[in-house]
């Protein structure tokens, strides 16, 4: 007996969720319908059943007979191997990985649209009247194909366009089975970020790909739902399977290796015992899967018996899927062969070939259609539009850079800590910044940037979103070097303002020739998590108490090169200025610093405590019981297919009163040195940030290369070398932590894929373990070449917030997290760093951070929830991450690090 799961309605009246164009839709029905409807889902407690029919109001029978395109699509024949793909995005966070693959394979970038961007009439017009596409790919996505808000136009597309090649991935695969009568059921267990060995029956989609146990064909799966094999209609033919009980971590043993190819996919990951690498070769003869074996397997691939429609339950675009690009190449070849056969039957065709870059036409069937630009159609779904022309039309500053270098000076004057404390740390160090590479071992970071209130170009920006949680826009308070303030209302939000400001600056590249670093002055500060509202989120559930963004425009700074021990001083002024007063003054101060200053700053407090945050006096927003209950809720969302991974967090707070906040930061950087640490003091906001983050969010260097370094997977250090190594290896080979990391790597590849040159996104390091003072962490590196028509701020906006702090798919995951978390994350989970006037930037992820605001210290902490999570273990991991900063606060209070001055005045 199969038990029905109503994933699309909170009541028994299923007509409320009927498909657009086929029945009534509730007036308040929104994309996040799962908040109400998932609560009423019936889950199957009996693990021997493992099946529950997922039924929505849209059943295949309602769509039968709607196929109106009886003519064969005869007028389009791809030329010269160029294939034009329409890529339909189901609001997923892996769609642009498919985009990158198709751009290389097709030799043209596909056109990307959301599944609700076009009406059916528009879709058919572009396919049949404009003849704009040769094939269609339907992306993965959260939810179920039974829910209209999850699948959009895709079901109708599959029925109306039976005469063009279509490939569905994951959710698209399920849609192909469902629309023809198959049932969507819960998988035996959710599988996200884990690998399975695939057996297939051969055929054109799997041409050249091995099929057998212990072959090199292992794929990445991200799904909780599957097509019920027993319900398959005669028109749908299964062509690939995976074991229902066997999955694999990416690194299965100490003999496994990672070999990312230039295109970002994994070619092989096997070693002989003696260490020599091999590539397993298996002839593509297909796999003979008998009837009894099929019952124990999950369908991983299907095809339609008469239409060129295919589905893959796994993710060929994942970095860890073997032969992923071959699958896309095979689908391209299927497309070419399909139209080649059609052309031979109609030799008198006149081909009207429009490339994806010159997509045009106005469908006559709908007046208020969404505008499609005449060019850059491949960016239809990019988070922001390029606004360089409007920015350059409001040029306000032409800058001149002056700098001086002091060879091997840093160690002579006590290092970066001594330089900052003596030059900028007097009193409460108000309106100061320090991007502090306090951990430089293994070349994790090289430069530190520091400064305070500077010259005539200095200013401070404080931005707060409006109270309406569903609208962009907010108030920007600007204070200039003379103390004058102005308040602007930004209709289009902070990212738009920052983009225009940076693009309005003119400079001469010759000014910074010879400088080995990328920050030459510009904006330095933070972007808070709530600015996700400007990055595709529909709303913010909570309002932040701190500003949503704060920046200084730094026109004077000191730079320390930790590799070579050099010190630089930098000044930017108006182009006409010849003033060197600041450079002369800071040079004199630098050269007069004492070599012993580092030990004279203050006596270090002893290392006293390793208490839990609550034992250190912090009050947790969530009790242990509530936290574990929320983790369990996250896991249920994952089971129902709403997310692959949810980064659930909470806040811990403590009243601190007056305290030597700079002393607090110095203790934090000593106890928990990190490559992307930071000190920021915004005195007018009574706000000080002490950050010891080990994670880079995103960097753009002057060569146009983007780099992200997400962290997922954390474990405490051991008490002795043997225990420490054992714990490191435990993390390295943890299936759960590998799954967490892989999901975020694929998400960051997607984010970079939106703004990078096709084929340039790659993963030079996957799942490396890095060791810090208190924890081991699993870190990956993703890189890509920025497209020339994309601005730096657009790159950040495409990837913000960092995927390691949201989960995947990003938008749906953030919606779920907003509904569960009790308050705004504020600065935590955002990013700190710089936007240089020369169009480079470097930003961290705000974790391992103490935020002091109005006499209260707050620490955010959490972890990634996946299907393999244990609620109690997740709670303990949250405490582990908060322990080091919480104990620093306690120790500073015990040591009596009190100040007679107001805390942050």
């Amino acid at each position: 007996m199969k038990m029905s799961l109503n994933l699309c309605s909170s009541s028994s009246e299923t007509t409320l969720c009927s498909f657009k164009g086929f029945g009534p839709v509730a007036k308040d029905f929104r994309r996040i319908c799962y908040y109400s409807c998932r609560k009423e889902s019936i889950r199957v407690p009996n693990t021997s059943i493992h099946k529950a029919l997922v039924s929505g109001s849209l059943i295949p029978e309602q769509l039968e007979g709607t196929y109106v395109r009886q003519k064969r699509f005869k007028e389009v024949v791809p030329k010269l191997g160029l294939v034009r793909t329409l890529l339909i995005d189901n609001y997923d966070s892996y769609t642009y990985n498919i985009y990158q693959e198709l751009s290389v394979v097709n030799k043209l970038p596909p056109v990307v649209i959301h599944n609700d961007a076009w009406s059916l009439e528009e879709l058919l017009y572009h396919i049949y009247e404009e003849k704009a596409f040769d094939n269609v790919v339907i992306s993965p996505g959260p939810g179920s194909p039974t829910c209209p808000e999850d699948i959009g136009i895709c079901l109708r597309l599959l029925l109306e366009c039976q005469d063009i090649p279509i490939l569905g991935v994951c959710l698209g695969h399920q849609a192909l089975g469902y629309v023809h009568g198959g049932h969507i059921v819960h998988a035996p267990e959710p599988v996200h970020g884990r690998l399975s060995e695939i057996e297939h029956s051969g055929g054109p989609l799997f041409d050249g790909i091995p099929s057998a146990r212990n072959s090199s064909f292992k794929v990445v799966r991200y799904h909780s739902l599957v097509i019920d094999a027993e319900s398959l209609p005669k028109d749908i033919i299964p062509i690939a399977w995976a074991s229902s009980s066997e999955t694999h971590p990416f690194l299965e043993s100490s003999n496994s290796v990672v070999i990312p190819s230039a295109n970002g996919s994994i070619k092989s990951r096997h070693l002989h015992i003696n260490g020599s690498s091999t590539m397993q070769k298996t002839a593509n003869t297909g796999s003979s899967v008998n009837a009894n074996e099929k019952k124990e397997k999950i369908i991983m691939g299907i095809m339609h018996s008469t239409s060129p429609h295919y589905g893959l339950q796994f993710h060929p675009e994942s970095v860890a899927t073997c032969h992923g690009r071959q699958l896309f190449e095979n689908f391209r070849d299927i497309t070419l062969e399909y139209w080649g056969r059609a052309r031979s039957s109609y030799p008198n065709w006149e081909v009207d070939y429009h490339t994806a870059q010159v997509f045009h036409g106005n469908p006559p069937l709908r007046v208020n259609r969404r505008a499609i630009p005449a060019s850059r159609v491949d960016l239809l779904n990019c988070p922001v539009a390029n606004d360089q022309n409007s920015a350059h039309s409001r040029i306000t500053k032409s800058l001149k850079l002056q700098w001086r270098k002091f060879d091997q000076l840093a160690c002579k004057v006590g290092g970066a800590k001594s330089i900052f404390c003596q030059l900028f740390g007097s009193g409460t160090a108000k309106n100061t910044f320090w991007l502090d590479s306090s951990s430089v071992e293994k070349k994790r970071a090289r430069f530190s940037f520091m400064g305070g209130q500077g010259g005539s170009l200095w200013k401070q920006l404080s931005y707060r979103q409006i109270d309406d949680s569903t609208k962009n826009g907010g108030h920007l308070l600007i204070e200039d070097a003379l103390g004058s303030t102005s308040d602007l209302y930004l209709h289009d939000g902070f990212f738009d303002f920052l983009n225009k400001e940076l693009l309005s600056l003119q400079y001469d590249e010759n000014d910074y020739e010879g400088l080995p670093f990328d920050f030459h002055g510009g904006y330095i500060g933070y972007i808070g998590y709530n600015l996700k509202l400007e990055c595709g989120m529909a709303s913010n559930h909570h309002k932040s108490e701190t500003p949503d963004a704060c920046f200084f425009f730094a026109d004077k700074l000191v730079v320390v090169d930790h590799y070579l021990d050099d010190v630089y001083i930098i000044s930017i002024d108006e182009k006409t200025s010849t003033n060197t007063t600041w450079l002369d003054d800071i040079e004199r101060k630098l050269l007069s610093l004492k070599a012993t200053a580092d030990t004279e700053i203050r006596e270090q407090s002893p290392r006293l405590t390793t208490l839990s945050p609550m034992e250190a006096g912090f009050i947790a927003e969530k009790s242990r019981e509530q936290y574990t209950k929320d983790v369990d809720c996250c896991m249920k969302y994952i089971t129902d297919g709403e997310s692959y991974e949810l980064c659930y967090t909470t806040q811990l707070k403590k009243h601190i009163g007056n305290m030597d906040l700079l002393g607090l930061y110095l203790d934090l950087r000593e106890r928990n040195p990190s490559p992307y640490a930071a000190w920021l003091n915004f005195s007018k906001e009574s706000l000080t940030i002490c950050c010891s983050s080990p994670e880079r969010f995103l960097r753009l260097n002057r060569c146009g290369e983007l780099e992200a370094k997400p962290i997922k997977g954390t474990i405490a250090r051991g008490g002795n070398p043997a225990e420490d190594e054992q714990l490191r290896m435990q993390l390295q080979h943890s299936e759960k932590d590998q799954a967490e990391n892989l999901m975020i790597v694929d998400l960051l590849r997607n984010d970079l894929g939106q703004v990078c040159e096709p084929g340039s996104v790659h993963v030079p390091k996957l799942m490396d373990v890095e060791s810090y003072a208190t924890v081991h962490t699993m870190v990956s590196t993703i890189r890509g070449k920025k497209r020339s028509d994309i601005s730096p701020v657009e790159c950040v906006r495409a990837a913000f917030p960092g995927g390691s702090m949201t989960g995947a798919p990003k938008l749906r995951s953030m919606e779920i997290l907003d509904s569960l978390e009790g308050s705004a994350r504020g600065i935590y989970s955002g990013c700190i760093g710089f936007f240089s006037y020369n169009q480079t930037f470097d930003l961290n992820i705000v974790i391992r951070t103490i935020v002091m605001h109005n006499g209260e210290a707050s620490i955010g902490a959490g972890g990634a929830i996946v299907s393999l999570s244990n609620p109690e273990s997740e709670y303990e991991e949250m405490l582990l991450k908060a322990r080091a900063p919480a104990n620093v606060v306690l120790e500073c209070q015990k040591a009596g690090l009190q100040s007679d001055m107001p805390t942050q005045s």
Side-chain angles (χ1 to χ4, degrees):
M1 176 181 178
K2 298 186 179 74
M3 300 179 65
S4 294
L5 277 179
N6 183 359
L7 296 189
C8 285
S9 177
S10 59
S11 71
S12 60
E13 295 179 318
T14 59
T15 56
L16 288 179
C17 279
S18 58
F19 187 68
K20 184 178 179 182
F22 287 85
V25 177
K27 291 182 179 179
D28 60 347
F29 193 83
R30 302 176 59 217
R31 168 156 295 281
I32 48 177
C33 62
Y34 53 84
Y35 286 146
S36 60
C37 63
R38 289 343 185 219
K39 292 179 181 178
E40 301 299 323
S41 299
I42 302 173
R43 294 179 177 83
V44 183
N46 186 349
T47 56
S48 65
I49 299 176
H50 279 316
K51 290 182 181 178
L53 177 62
V54 179
S55 62
S57 60
L58 179 62
I59 59 176
E61 287 76 11
Q62 290 176 289
L63 295 178
E64 288 181 0
T66 64
Y67 179 65
V68 296
R69 294 279 168 181
Q70 299 299 329
K71 68 174 183 177
R72 180 68 65 176
F73 182 16
K74 300 185 288 289
E75 291 83 1
V76 174
V77 181
K79 285 183 174 181
L80 304 176
L82 304 178
V83 175
R84 301 161 301 161
T85 297
L86 174 64
L87 176 55
I88 299 181
D89 178 17
N90 289 302
Y91 288 88
D92 195 54
S93 289
Y94 298 152
T95 300
Y96 276 86
N97 295 333
I98 298 175
Y99 170 91
Q100 285 277 323
E101 289 295 310
L102 292 175
S103 295
V104 174
V105 168
N106 291 349
K107 303 179 184 177
L108 280 175
V111 172
V112 185
I113 64 167
H114 277 140
N115 64 17
D116 55 0
W118 288 351
S119 69
L120 177 64
E121 292 84 0
E122 291 172 324
L123 180 67
L124 297 179
Y125 178 85
H126 292 308
I127 290 176
Y128 288 102
E129 303 303 327
E130 282 210 323
K131 300 163 251 181
F133 305 108
D134 305 314
N135 62 24
V136 179
V137 175
I138 301 174
S139 86
S144 164
T146 68
C147 186
E149 290 295 312
D150 293 340
I151 199 63
I153 197 68
C154 297
L155 295 184
R156 198 63 188 271
L157 164 75
L158 287 164
L159 287 177
E160 297 288 353
C161 300
Q162 294 185 24
D163 51 0
I164 68 170
I166 299 176
L167 174 64
V169 178
C170 200
L171 184 65
H173 157 91
Q174 295 168 15
L176 176 59
Y178 173 70
V179 79
H180 291 288
H183 296 161
I184 305 302
V185 301
H186 277 132
E189 65 169 328
V191 179
H192 298 104
R194 293 147 69 192
L195 281 72
S196 288
E197 208 163 44
I198 297 297
E199 298 179 62
H200 61 79
S201 57
L205 190 60
F206 291 98
D207 185 39
I209 297 174
S211 172
R213 291 187 61 82
N214 301 316
S215 75
S216 63
F217 190 26
K218 289 186 174 68
V219 303
V220 177
R221 295 165 57 188
Y222 295 112
H223 67 100
S224 301
L225 308 175
V226 295
I227 301 172
D228 180 15
E230 296 177 8
S231 71
L232 277 186
K234 62 180 181 180
D235 288 337
I236 298 298
I237 303 170
I239 58 175
W241 301 264
S243 169
S244 61
S245 58
E246 184 178 352
T247 61
H248 307 268
F250 181 68
L251 300 174
E252 293 185 288
S253 72
S254 59
N255 291 327
S256 299
V257 293
V258 177
I259 309 176
S261 68
N263 61 36
S265 62
I266 300 301
K267 293 298 185 185
S268 174
R269 50 188 204 89
H270 302 281
L271 278 181
H272 285 310
I273 297 302
N274 64 11
S276 61
S277 62
T278 67
M279 176 72 76
Q280 301 225 2
K281 298 179 180 179
T282 306
N284 181 29
T285 59
S287 174
S288 58
V289 184
N290 63 46
N292 291 330
E293 289 176 326
K294 288 181 181 179
K295 291 181 180 179
E296 302 300 322
K297 295 182 180 295
I298 296 174
I299 294 175
M300 287 286 113
I302 58 175
M303 64 176 289
H304 194 275
S305 60
T306 58
S307 297
H309 292 182
Y310 298 83
L312 295 173
Q313 178 62 78
F314 59 88
H315 283 239
E317 80 286 355
S318 172
V319 69
T321 289
C322 299
H323 306 291
R325 178 163 293 178
Q326 183 67 55
L327 284 161
F328 287 115
E329 289 175 348
N330 289 346
F331 181 60
R332 175 203 62 197
D333 294 343
I334 288 170
T335 301
L336 292 170
E337 183 179 355
Y338 179 78
W339 293 121
R341 288 199 308 267
R343 184 178 189 182
S344 65
S345 301
Y346 301 92
N348 295 323
W349 285 2
E350 292 184 6
V351 178
D352 182 13
Y353 184 78
H354 303 289
T355 71
Q357 300 299 313
V358 192
F359 181 52
H360 63 276
N362 294 309
L365 302 177
R366 186 176 177 187
V367 176
N368 295 322
R369 63 184 295 275
R370 296 194 180 192
I372 301 172
S375 61
R376 293 185 65 214
V377 180
D378 54 306
L379 284 179
L380 283 174
N381 192 31
C382 265
V384 287
N386 194 350
D387 197 19
Q388 295 196 33
N389 291 333
S390 61
H392 281 297
S393 67
R394 48 194 297 272
I395 290 173
T396 57
K397 291 287 187 298
S398 183
L399 303 181
K400 178 179 178 60
L401 172 68
Q402 300 178 86
W403 57 276
R404 298 174 187 175
K405 176 186 176 185
F406 304 92
D407 294 334
Q408 299 180 327
L409 177 66
C411 65
K412 298 176 182 177
V413 296
K417 173 181 172 181
S418 172
I419 293 171
F420 180 82
C421 290
Q422 295 193 75
L423 294 183
F424 308 108
S426 60
T428 56
K430 71 175 187 177
N431 291 337
T432 54
F433 61 86
W434 183 6
L435 299 186
D436 177 19
S437 297
S438 57
S439 173
V440 297
E441 66 272 19
K442 298 182 180 179
K443 298 187 176 181
R444 290 171 181 156
R446 178 175 175 181
F447 301 101
S448 291
F449 306 91
M450 60 185 71
Q453 189 162 339
S456 60
L457 297 180
W458 180 93
K459 60 184 174 183
Q460 178 180 328
L461 310 179
S462 297
Y463 178 75
R464 285 181 168 84
Q465 292 177 326
I466 57 176
D467 291 335
D468 189 333
S469 64
T470 63
K471 295 180 180 178
N472 283 340
H475 294 275
L476 179 69
L477 184 67
I478 304 176
E479 179 184 3
D480 65 19
L482 300 176
S484 299
T485 60
S486 57
D487 192 342
L488 304 177
Y489 180 74
L490 306 180
H491 290 276
D492 296 321
F494 184 76
F495 279 111
D496 181 78
F497 171 84
L498 184 61
N499 190 44
K500 293 176 180 177
E501 285 292 301
L502 287 168
L503 292 173
S504 72
L505 300 174
Q506 286 187 332
Y507 56 92
D508 186 347
E509 293 184 6
N510 293 324
D511 287 352
Y512 55 78
E513 184 178 353
L515 292 178
F517 44 84
D518 288 325
F519 184 43
H520 307 140
Y523 288 100
I524 192 165
Y526 74 83
I527 297 171
Y529 180 74
N530 266 15
L531 280 194
K532 65 185 188 293
L533 189 62
E534 297 183 17
C535 304
M537 271 290 287
S539 63
N540 276 325
H541 199 69
H542 308 284
K543 184 173 178 60
S544 176
E545 295 179 0
T546 54
D548 294 297
C550 261
F551 279 87
F552 298 119
F553 187 87
D555 58 351
K556 318 291 180 189
L557 63 148
V558 176
V559 185
V560 177
D561 183 342
H562 296 284
Y563 289 3
L564 303 179
D565 211 37
D566 300 332
V567 178
Y568 298 79
I569 57 176
I570 290 176
S571 172
I572 53 174
D573 299 279
E574 296 274 11
K575 190 70 172 178
T576 56
S577 173
T578 58
N579 189 2
T580 62
T581 301
W582 183 86
L583 291 171
D584 296 336
D585 182 55
I586 207 73
E587 178 178 350
R588 177 182 54 80
K589 290 180 179 179
L590 264 177
L591 296 177
S592 65
L593 294 182
K594 300 177 182 179
T596 58
D598 186 51
T599 58
E600 295 176 353
I601 294 170
R602 64 180 182 85
E603 292 296 324
Q604 296 295 331
S605 58
R607 297 173 183 265
L608 298 175
T609 55
T610 56
L611 303 176
S612 75
M614 276 65 80
E615 291 171 328
F618 280 80
I619 299 174
E621 181 181 75
K622 301 275 189 176
S623 66
R624 176 186 288 266
E625 179 183 9
Q626 186 61 53
Y627 193 93
T628 55
K629 182 179 178 181
D630 288 345
V631 170
D632 187 62
C633 188
C634 288
M635 295 174 69
K636 290 176 181 176
Y637 279 120
I638 291 169
T639 298
D640 282 346
E642 297 303 331
S643 178
Y644 316 139
E645 175 176 358
L646 291 163
C647 187
Y648 179 67
T649 73
T650 190
Q651 298 277 330
L652 303 97
K653 297 184 178 182
K654 180 180 184 178
H655 179 74
I656 57 172
N658 293 336
M659 179 181 282
D660 176 7
L661 297 183
L662 180 56
L664 174 69
Y665 175 67
L666 296 177
D667 266 358
L668 180 66
R669 76 186 294 271
E670 180 183 347
R671 311 295 168 82
N672 197 36
S674 302
Y676 311 111
W679 156 276
L680 293 173
N681 177 278
F682 300 96
S683 59
K684 216 159 201 180
E685 299 292 344
S686 297
L687 175 63
T688 300
I689 303 166
C690 299
C691 176
S692 60
S693 174
E695 182 172 1
R696 167 174 280 151
F697 166 42
L698 196 61
R699 176 183 70 174
L700 174 66
N701 63 25
R702 68 178 76 176
C703 298
E705 184 179 62
L706 286 162
E707 179 184 85
K709 295 190 67 175
I711 288 177
K712 268 289 162 270
T714 302
I715 197 169
R717 297 292 301 266
N720 57 63
E723 181 188 17
D724 192 56
E725 177 62 18
Q726 183 179 15
L727 288 168
R728 191 190 73 82
M729 294 300 294
Q730 178 182 327
L731 174 64
Q732 179 77 76
H733 297 289
S734 162
E735 185 173 12
K736 171 185 176 292
D737 291 303
Q738 288 183 33
E740 288 181 19
N741 197 279
L742 179 58
M743 281 187 269
I744 300 307
V745 167
D746 280 340
L747 188 154
L748 265 296
R749 291 174 59 236
N750 171 86
D751 290 347
L752 266 63
Q754 298 182 62
V755 296
C756 286
E757 295 289 348
S760 70
V761 179
H762 60 288
V763 184
K765 292 184 180 179
L766 186 57
M767 301 183 197
D768 270 7
V769 173
E770 294 184 357
S771 301
Y772 293 87
T774 59
V775 295
H776 299 292
T777 61
M778 188 178 286
V779 186
S780 295
T781 303
I782 305 102
R783 291 179 184 145
K785 181 71 173 179
K786 184 185 77 70
R787 284 173 31 188
S788 60
D789 60 334
I790 298 293
S791 74
V793 173
E794 288 174 330
C795 296
V796 175
R797 190 171 181 177
F800 188 84
S804 63
M805 300 306 296
T806 64
K810 187 183 287 187
L811 293 180
R812 181 69 61 90
S813 296
M814 287 193 294
E815 290 169 350
I816 294 172
L817 293 167
D818 261 12
S819 73
L820 293 176
E821 295 178 351
S823 64
R825 295 187 184 183
I827 299 165
Y828 172 65
S829 297
C831 57
I832 292 173
F834 67 77
F835 289 89
S836 181
Y837 76 82
N838 68 333
Q839 310 302 308
T840 63
F841 62 79
D842 199 353
L843 303 165
N844 75 3
I845 294 284
V846 181
I847 54 176
R848 318 290 198 273
T849 296
I850 308 166
V851 176
M852 276 74 63
H853 186 233
N854 292 330
E856 182 179 63
S858 65
I859 300 169
I865 313 304
V866 296
S867 60
L868 296 174
S869 290
N870 175 279
E872 288 292 333
S873 298
E874 293 296 339
Y875 182 76
E876 292 300 327
E877 182 178 330
M878 180 273 292
L879 296 181
L880 169 65
K881 292 173 178 176
R883 183 182 301 161
N887 278 274
V888 168
V889 173
L890 177 62
E891 290 175 11
C892 286
Q893 288 182 312
K894 283 185 175 180
L897 299 176
Q898 304 295 324
S899 172
D900 294 332
M901 300 183 180
T903 308
Q904 300 171 55
S905 61

